[in-house]
Amino acid sequence: MYKNYKVLTVIPVILALLSVVFVSVNGLNQSIDVSGGTEITVIVPNNFDYSSLEKQYPDVDFKISTSSSAQYLDVKAGTNVDIDELRNSLAAALNTDDLSKLQYTEKQIGSTLSSNFWNQGFQAVGFAFLFMAIVVYAIFRTPVPSFAVILAAASDIVIAVGGMSLFGIPISTSTIAALLMLIGYSVDTDIMLTTRVLKRKSDTLENRINQSMKTGMTMSITTIVAMAVLYLVVSYIVPAAEMLKDISIVLLIGLIADLMLTWVTNVGILRYYVTELKKSK
Amino acid sequence: MKLLKDKKVLFLLVCVVASILTIVFNGISFGVDLSGGSTIVLQTEKPVTEQEMGVITEILTSRLNTNGLSDVNVYSRGSEEIAIEIPESADLERIKKVIAQQGVFYATIDNVTAYTGKDVEYVEEPALTAAGYGVSFKLSSEGADNFANVSYGKGGYKVLLYLDEILISDPVLSPDLADGKPHPSQVITVAGSNPTKADEDQAWAIYTALKSGSLPVKVNIAYINSISPTLGEEFIKSSIIAGIIAFLAVATVIGIRYKTPKIVLPILITGASEVLLILGFASIIGWKLDLAAIAGIIATLGTSVDHQIVITDETLAGESKKVKRSIQRAFFIIFGAAATTIAAMSPLFLMSIGMLKGFAITTIAGVLFGVFISRPAFARIIRELLRKY
């Protein structure tokens, strides 16, 4: 297997490239953070029938989600919908004169702010990545190992975005936060691996890699388990706290991809660097 | 017991105790997305000066107070955004009308301005008047004189009343009022004796505009987030439950890996102490915890556990003489990872995606507390414990 490591190394990178293609074809769901509009979540009685509302507002997206204690109606409308009217119809359907008397959340974003958001979110991830790359280079000061860390982090973000496209997770404030967190988590294991391999002199290369893997797997698995739990708990208890749910699922996808990127791609490049490139110099 | 004499361990203990005391006595406040209430962000039509921003926030505060909301928090964000936090249930439709209007008011007769919002000296709350439902107000003597001059001999003409360039009322001037004498008492009626909710909102918007004056620029509502207090409580409760269950899951994983409470407990306790430090910090600076901040705390806890695993494994790997070097290497890894995390979060500060600031603040604070307070102490503790292990 070790002979084939160079082939294996590129597989996750190819997966990342496929992700790019997939995202550009399939596109990303946009939350109202990006597209502008209104999102209303309200607790409704069991068996609440919203089909007449659906008929009345064909452009509006209605969705029911159920938790252990209640049933939530999630309403998403673009900027082209008259929100006051929609709110009144919704109140009428729920037999109340004022929605704010119910268990209710409403989020409304204007189109100027949402277009700003798109730019700023994009820039935030871009600059975060750039700053991270500079710091990583400053830490190792050798091009190839630094490049491996940065490549792994970049592929990781791209695969996470691919996962968002695949599962229809919208790009929003919370998922941008998740992508930024992912940069941190991804780099954590990569830095640990690179430091162990380059700085520890006493052991053989294989032992250093295996030791790092033991540590790194523990790091990743604790976070993966924590995120899986968070996802399940939030889905089951409060579907309305969508932010936490989105963050946990994006991190989950990214962290699983990170296992592959760190222990196949990054390890592969380091092994090549230590056994062949460094010796030839 | 020897551990308690260690400076780093002692420092962590002191900080944690200080945090707990701050949290107990100072309390932690939650943002409106957790505790219930509304956040509104207004955008000015063009960038304004600091001075104008001051005027805007002052007027908006007074408008909200005028409409019976006392505990509001109005602050500017940069030179184009004003954020408003209302920590209670409020009539959003009325609030939107009241704050989003610029409030430029004037009255014309036969295309001549008779008076403007500046001439209004006193306004009464919307009520039924002899002429119908509406707002009564008094003009200053100067304004009344001007009105007398403009209206003289114009009995039967319409008085056109404009608010933000929109005609809100056009009563016919009665000949009694067009006699050239000052008549300071005026009424704007918006409906007959049976006003609807929309009429009432309209009357309150007029009342508010006359009372608080006009904003220096037009503003638009860019963002509204409103959450009922009961749902907010659910959020807090479920975040805590999710946090505890996730914590237990982490405990299980490291329990399986290390199999001894001597290692597992210090990792968990140190992780929990970092959460306390962040909460204490939030309490001291009066930072309101919102959902984004909770995400930041989760991120910190994740990084914290990761880094303690690095320290533990380096300590376990180091031969008795080389432990010091192993720990040094662990800290090289940790400082590197912390620096990259901070680098990744910093754009959120530089670019003010307002809603993610809470996330950046808790994450960066958590990383710094971890690197300088809790992880050095953890390294000492684990070294001491493993010596006998």
Side-chain angles (χ1 to χ4, degrees):
Chain A
M1 186 181 143
Y2 288 133
K3 281 171 193 160
N4 296 330
Y5 77 85
K6 282 183 199 162
V7 183
L8 285 174
T9 300
V10 294
I11 291 176
V13 179
I14 290 171
L15 202 63
L17 292 176
L18 286 178
S19 261
V20 173
V21 176
F22 182 71
V23 172
S24 56
V25 173
N26 196 39
L28 273 173
N29 265 2
Q30 298 190 337
S31 70
I32 60 160
D33 290 351
V34 183
S35 61
T38 303
E39 183 174 355
I40 296 173
T41 306
V42 62
I43 290 193
V44 294
N46 284 335
N47 307 321
F48 176 71
D49 181 25
Y50 56 96
S51 54
S52 62
L53 283 171
E54 248 176 343
K55 241 173 253 161
Q56 200 182 343
Y57 298 97
D59 293 343
V60 177
D61 192 20
F62 295 90
K63 204 180 89 197
I64 287 268
S65 52
T66 312
S67 81
S68 56
S69 53
Q71 192 168 350
Y72 297 80
L73 176 67
D74 194 33
V75 182
K76 283 189 180 117
T79 40
N80 55 337
V81 178
D82 183 341
I83 295 305
D84 291 339
E85 205 188 301
L86 174 65
R87 210 188 281 118
N88 288 337
S89 314
L90 194 60
L94 288 162
N95 297 319
T96 177
D97 56 340
D98 190 356
L99 284 173
S100 50
K101 286 178 188 154
L102 302 173
Q103 294 228 33
Y104 163 82
T105 79
E106 177 174 335
K107 193 166 149 189
Q108 201 175 332
I109 293 177
S111 49
T112 43
L113 195 70
S114 57
S115 61
N116 269 350
F117 177 84
W118 184 238
N119 291 334
Q120 291 198 335
F122 201 70
Q123 281 176 25
V125 177
F127 276 111
F129 186 79
L130 184 72
F131 292 168
M132 175 276 289
I134 294 170
V135 173
V136 166
Y137 190 79
I139 294 171
F140 296 116
R141 290 198 200 91
T142 37
V144 174
S146 307
F147 166 77
V149 174
I150 294 162
L151 177 74
S155 309
D156 199 9
I157 296 171
V158 169
I159 292 178
V161 174
M164 286 167 61
S165 176
L166 183 66
F167 297 116
I169 303 157
I171 185 98
S172 67
T173 316
S174 23
T175 45
I176 286 184
L179 292 176
L180 294 177
M181 279 159 92
L182 197 54
I183 295 181
Y185 283 134
S186 163
V187 171
D188 266 12
T189 43
D190 294 326
I191 290 182
M192 191 271 302
L193 165 74
T194 312
T195 310
R196 288 261 184 96
V197 168
L198 296 185
K199 299 223 160 176
R200 199 187 266 181
K201 302 282 189 281
S202 53
D203 229 335
T204 64
L205 176 64
E206 280 324 309
N207 272 345
R208 278 180 275 167
I209 289 176
N210 289 340
Q211 288 281 328
S212 309
M213 206 156 177
K214 203 172 165 196
T215 304
M217 287 284 184
T218 315
M219 291 162 79
S220 298
I221 289 170
T222 50
T223 319
I224 287 175
V225 169
M227 287 305 146
V229 164
L230 191 62
Y231 181 76
L232 293 176
V233 171
V234 173
S235 318
Y236 188 64
I237 302 184
V238 269
E242 237 177 27
M243 171 162 207
L244 292 179
K245 203 168 124 184
D246 287 350
I247 287 181
S248 52
I249 188 75
V250 171
L251 281 180
L252 211 51
I253 299 169
L255 286 166
I256 291 169
D258 183 52
L259 285 179
M260 204 171 54
L261 286 158
T262 308
W263 307 113
V264 179
T265 302
N266 202 354
V267 160
I269 298 175
L270 277 177
R271 184 173 281 147
Y272 171 72
Y273 175 73
V274 174
T275 54
E276 296 182 29
L277 206 63
K278 232 177 158 183
K279 270 182 193 157
S280 67
K281 273 181 190 169
Chain B
M1 280 305 103
K2 223 174 106 194
L3 273 175
L4 285 178
K5 285 179 191 145
D6 186 275
K7 265 192 232 149
K8 286 171 181 170
V9 178
L10 214 54
F11 185 49
L12 172 64
L13 272 179
V14 169
C15 290
V16 169
V17 170
S19 283
I20 293 173
L21 289 177
T22 319
I23 295 166
V24 169
F25 289 108
N26 206 17
I28 292 175
S29 46
F30 291 99
V32 293
D33 60 350
L34 284 177
S35 62
S38 303
T39 312
I40 301 171
V41 177
L42 296 173
Q43 233 173 358
T44 58
E45 207 173 32
K46 51 179 193 284
V48 297
T49 63
E50 217 166 293
Q51 224 169 355
E52 282 173 313
M53 205 43 120
V55 172
I56 294 173
T57 52
E58 201 174 303
I59 290 177
L60 288 175
T61 309
S62 109
R63 283 184 181 180
L64 290 164
N65 293 342
T66 301
N67 280 269
L69 296 168
S70 51
D71 198 16
V72 293
N73 186 12
V74 182
Y75 56 93
S76 58
R77 249 175 18 192
S79 61
E80 277 178 275
E81 280 180 19
I82 304 109
I84 300 170
E85 283 167 0
I86 306 168
E88 54 194 282
S89 335
D91 181 346
L92 267 191
E93 269 160 81
R94 177 174 295 170
I95 301 299
K96 272 154 72 177
K97 262 199 171 146
V98 162
I99 54 175
Q101 63 183 349
Q102 190 176 0
V104 178
F105 175 77
Y106 59 91
T108 64
I109 301 168
D110 197 16
N111 283 331
V112 184
T113 303
Y115 54 82
T116 70
K118 288 200 179 90
D119 298 319
V120 174
E121 203 172 56
Y122 173 76
V123 198
E124 269 177 43
E125 287 187 7
L128 276 178
T129 69
Y133 179 78
V135 181
S136 313
F137 60 94
K138 276 202 171 63
L139 294 171
S140 64
S141 59
E142 207 180 314
D145 285 344
N146 194 40
F147 178 68
N149 288 336
V150 174
S151 65
Y152 181 63
K154 300 257 169 75
Y157 277 72
K158 277 189 171 178
V159 184
L160 302 177
L161 297 157
Y162 291 93
L163 185 61
D164 292 339
E165 305 295 330
I166 294 165
L167 185 66
I168 50 166
S169 177
D170 56 347
V172 174
L173 184 62
S174 86
D176 301 353
L177 289 174
D179 55 3
K181 289 180 187 148
H183 297 278
S185 292
Q186 301 279 333
V187 183
I188 301 169
T189 55
V190 295
S193 52
N194 265 324
T196 63
K197 166 86 168 53
D199 296 330
E200 279 178 28
D201 286 352
Q202 165 81 346
W204 275 96
I206 294 169
Y207 164 71
T208 309
L210 291 183
K211 192 162 170 104
S212 64
S214 60
L215 298 177
V217 290
K218 268 195 187 166
V219 294
N220 291 310
I221 293 180
Y223 174 87
I224 296 179
N225 189 5
S226 174
I227 285 167
S228 69
T230 39
L231 203 60
E233 275 167 31
E234 292 266 295
F235 278 2
I236 297 180
K237 220 169 63 190
S238 61
S239 303
I240 293 172
I241 293 172
I244 291 171
I245 298 180
F247 195 71
L248 292 177
V250 169
T252 312
V253 174
I254 51 176
I256 292 171
R257 163 76 205 275
Y258 294 113
K259 296 188 185 73
T260 164
K262 262 187 194 169
I263 296 177
V264 176
L265 285 179
I267 293 182
L268 295 179
I269 292 169
T270 313
S273 74
E274 271 180 44
V275 173
L276 283 175
L277 292 178
I278 299 175
L279 294 178
F281 174 70
S283 174
I284 286 173
I285 64 167
W287 182 262
K288 288 193 171 125
L289 291 179
D290 50 13
L291 268 176
I294 292 204
I297 292 174
I298 296 169
T300 310
L301 194 56
T303 330
S304 163
V305 171
D306 280 2
H307 291 180
Q308 290 166 49
I309 292 171
V310 173
I311 297 174
T312 308
D313 282 1
E314 285 288 352
T315 312
L316 285 173
E319 304 291 315
S320 55
K321 281 177 197 161
K322 290 180 188 154
V323 169
K324 210 170 176 185
R325 192 188 285 168
S326 267
I327 300 255
Q328 270 174 2
R329 191 163 51 225
F331 273 88
F332 180 84
I333 296 170
I334 286 166
F335 275 109
T340 50
T341 303
I342 291 173
M345 293 300 161
S346 57
L348 292 181
F349 273 107
L350 305 177
M351 294 188 329
S352 83
I353 301 190
M355 287 158 263
L356 280 179
K357 225 164 201 170
F359 172 67
I361 286 180
T362 39
T363 315
I364 293 177
V367 168
L368 291 176
F369 290 148
V371 168
F372 292 112
I373 303 176
S374 63
R375 278 159 223 167
F378 175 79
R380 288 295 163 94
I381 293 170
I382 208 75
R383 207 179 145 183
E384 190 60 37
L385 290 177
L386 287 180
R387 193 174 282 173
K388 294 164 197 155
Y389 170 54

